[in-house]
Amino acid sequence: MTLRGWVSLAKITAGALSSGPRGAQEHVRAFGRSAVNMAEEAKKLAAVAAVDNHVQNNQVVGVGSGSTIVYAVDRLAERVRQEKLNIVCVPTSFQARQLILQHGLTLSDLDRHPELDVAIDGADEVDADLTLIKGGGGCLTQEKIVAGCAKRFIVIADYRKDSKALGQQWKKGVPIEVIPMAYVPISRTIAKRFGGEASLRMAVSKAGPVVTDNSNFILDWKFAQAQNWKEVNTAIKMIPGVVETGLFVGMAERAYFGMEDGSVQVRDPHVN
């Protein structure tokens, strides 16, 4: 939070205290709602900018997953209607597929369109080099496949996903999709070789682990320290039973961050 945000919170709290406990609760709830609204508006601004800058007529577009993508598909559908664009969409998940159909966009797949002009997706965290952690929603394998099939991979996020180094903002670890029978040895191998802890992701609304669209399990690896992410990503993928990791290294071409002040920050990877 910015210094201005802290000052505002102090003023709200002071005013609330003077009006009693109930007033304090109401003011704090109002502040929380305001912060949530700003974050949502930030995601929308980033999504609109990405779609406007990277989607053109007669393109095949990869559509990612997550809350940010809702705004991207809204804007894409709006442009298709207004500009009469010929756009074909390839989804990364059931959610993305439903969004495409609900907005009346043309749905396709990688069998018919194995090469995409651009893919737009969100991220759980983006570091200074545009290395991403993705897969908090469980669709990491499909997301990486679609991103890898695209000529350009564009990331959209709000300011809370931006960090100098992975792990500063996203505290849930790196998702790793694994074959169910191998999750115990894989989790032990990862912890032994790279430190930290790899835990089986459990479902919230039902008993048992989360099961991916590919009928696999997900480990969430909470790493203990910064890593050479390119080397670690390759090494983890070589462990028998690992399907894919949520590390996207050297894939994103540009990231759009919706900022708290209403602006959009654009960042490209560092050039070594």
Side-chain angles (χ1 to χ4, degrees):
M1 185 180 292
T2 63
L3 178 61
R4 182 176 59 188
W6 282 111
V7 172
S8 298
L9 178 58
K11 289 181 178 179
I12 290 171
T13 304
L17 290 175
S18 64
S19 60
R22 179 174 295 180
Q25 293 174 2
E26 290 301 323
H27 279 289
V28 170
R29 277 198 290 266
F31 180 82
R33 287 194 297 269
S34 177
V36 170
N37 290 338
M38 285 191 297
E40 287 302 310
E41 187 62 27
K43 290 193 289 188
K44 182 177 180 179
L45 291 169
V48 169
V51 171
D52 286 355
N53 290 340
H54 297 283
V55 176
Q56 302 174 12
N57 193 27
N58 298 316
Q59 283 188 333
V60 182
V61 179
V63 178
S65 307
S67 60
T68 314
I69 292 302
V70 175
Y71 299 118
V73 176
D74 284 345
R75 179 56 180 164
L76 181 59
E78 184 179 47
R79 287 193 58 200
V80 166
R81 290 193 302 269
Q82 293 177 350
E83 302 172 36
K84 309 300 182 185
L85 300 182
N86 176 34
I87 298 294
V88 173
C89 298
V90 175
T92 63
S93 65
F94 182 79
Q95 177 217 15
R97 181 181 184 276
Q98 293 304 103
L99 284 172
I100 291 166
L101 293 175
Q102 288 168 7
H103 285 77
L105 297 168
T106 301
L107 176 69
S108 189
D109 52 42
L110 292 177
D111 290 340
R112 287 172 286 181
H113 294 91
E115 185 174 285
L116 314 179
D117 295 290
V118 62
I120 299 176
D121 207 343
D124 297 312
E125 188 173 27
V126 186
D127 77 2
D129 296 318
L130 297 197
T131 298
L132 317 177
I133 293 178
K134 288 180 52 58
C139 301
L140 62 96
T141 298
Q142 294 93 314
E143 290 170 346
K144 188 172 280 190
I145 290 171
V146 169
C149 291
K151 298 176 184 176
R152 310 184 74 183
F153 177 40
I154 308 301
V155 180
I156 52 180
D158 66 68
Y159 56 91
R160 300 172 300 176
K161 308 294 185 181
D162 187 12
S163 68
K164 292 183 179 180
L166 295 185
Q168 290 181 345
Q169 302 288 352
W170 181 252
K171 303 299 184 181
K172 298 181 181 180
V174 176
I176 302 169
E177 185 168 351
V178 301
I179 299 298
M181 68 172 290
Y183 85 89
V184 172
I186 291 171
S187 62
R188 291 180 176 178
T189 299
I190 290 173
K192 182 177 179 179
R193 291 181 60 181
F194 307 110
E197 181 182 9
S199 302
L200 182 63
R201 185 184 297 180
M202 303 304 291
V204 176
S205 299
K206 71 176 184 68
V210 169
V211 178
T212 70
D213 290 352
N214 306 313
S215 300
N216 294 319
F217 290 170
I218 291 180
L219 298 175
D220 288 305
W221 172 42
K222 295 183 179 179
F223 48 91
Q225 59 189 17
Q227 309 274 348
N228 181 321
W229 295 116
K230 184 176 182 179
E231 292 180 1
V232 167
N233 182 55
T234 300
I236 291 177
K237 290 177 68 172
M238 293 299 293
I239 299 172
V242 171
V243 178
E244 189 55 86
T245 81
L247 289 167
F248 285 57
V249 185
M251 299 184 72
E253 176 179 318
R254 179 168 291 176
Y256 288 81
F257 297 96
M259 305 306 292
E260 191 174 8
D261 62 1
S263 64
V264 176
Q265 184 182 96
V266 181
R267 191 163 74 235
D268 297 328
H270 290 154
V271 178
N272 297 323

